[in-house]
Amino acid sequence: MSSRKSPGLLSIAPMLACTDRHFRYLARIISRHIFLYSEMIVTGALLHGDSDKLLAHHPSERPVAMQLGGSDPKQLAVCAEMVEEAGYNEVNLNIGCPSEKVLQGRFGACLLAEPDLVAECVAAMVENVSIPVTVKTRIGIDNDDSYERLAGFIDSVSAAGCNLFIVHARKAWLNGLSPKQNREVPPLKYDTVYRVKQDFPDLDIVINGGITTLEQAKAHLESVNGVMMGREIYQNPYILAGVDSGFYEDYTTTLTRIEVLDTYIGYVQDRLSEGYRFNSMARHLLGLFHGVNGARAWRRYLSDNIHRAGVDEKLLQIAVDKIR
């Protein structure tokens, strides 16, 4: 297994119903370098569902990682191999999702309580692929949130071959809070993530949780190897226009919002010919003009019309007149 080193790395968090292939392509139009993650895909869906569709992505998305949900080492090993063969650059194991659905399926945040099982899962994946195997985790669950428990988890899982941990700086409540509340209610403890980096200097540690500006991201990079941002980027994707120059010293001219839209329209045309639904692609554009005059009219027009039967990319050309 090869290790992915991440100094200066900025990435987009895996978000259910958000970071599908269409949004990832939109993000890549704006930033050439940000590291992308898929939505979490459970092993059962890959093994028994439409794996070709679940693994589909545009080559320009790379570097891109697939996040898996599961707790069966053999199934995860097989799925990791499928991910690698599909051309992804990394496979990530979800140990952070706190929803009741994942709890019932015995994966996600509840696995923080089973470091030996997680280590077994990671070891099985590492054995089966040459791309990096990484883990995304919380700092704790329920009242079991001591630093010693987190450090023991990372120690066990890193020994199995994981060299990069994405740490959401909140614990998760497995009962009583919705996934949305779990992103907002438990207090952020960035110092805990910083301490992990100090105690495990040979590991790459990426911090996640509550980071809403590129300036905040840069400040975190003084203490960790990388930063992962989520909802803010999805709601305001053009924030990515400052990534390449600000984090990767790439000063190539950044596309304007209109140029981004024009490029994405070409992508939509291609995907429509393959049978993808227009609204599944257009919905990711709602925040493209965030903060610009006419943004509210843009959002309203799209929201009211993208689900209509028979609409296609021409609707986007009409909608942009709300901005012009």
Side-chain angles (χ1 to χ4, degrees), residues 10 58 88 94 136 139 142 176 221 237 257:
L10 195 66
H58 195 281
Y88 285 81
N94 184 314
K136 187 173 190 293
I139 60 173
D142 299 331
L221 285 173
R257 287 178 171 89

Side-chain angles (χ1 to χ4, degrees), residues 42-109:
V42 297
T43 53
L46 268 187
L47 294 172
H48 308 296
D50 189 346
S51 60
D52 288 342
K53 185 173 182 180
L54 291 171
L55 292 166
H57 65 287
H58 195 281
S60 68
E61 291 176 38
R62 301 167 190 157
V64 59
M66 170 70 74
Q67 185 183 69
L68 297 177
S71 60
D72 182 289
K74 292 182 180 179
Q75 291 182 357
L76 282 165
V78 172
C79 288
E81 188 173 4
M82 294 169 68
V83 168
E84 181 175 38
E85 289 177 352
Y88 285 81
N89 303 95
E90 173 185 313
V91 58
N92 178 264
L93 182 60
N94 184 314
I95 311 294
C97 185
S99 75
E100 291 184 5
K101 181 178 180 181
V102 300
L103 182 60
Q104 293 166 0
R106 197 179 174 221
F107 58 92

Side-chain angles (χ1 to χ4, degrees), residues 16-30:
L16 286 172
C18 295
T19 51
D20 61 13
R21 65 173 300 188
H22 309 310
F23 180 74
R24 298 194 306 265
Y25 185 86
L26 175 65
R28 180 61 72 224
I29 294 172
I30 307 171

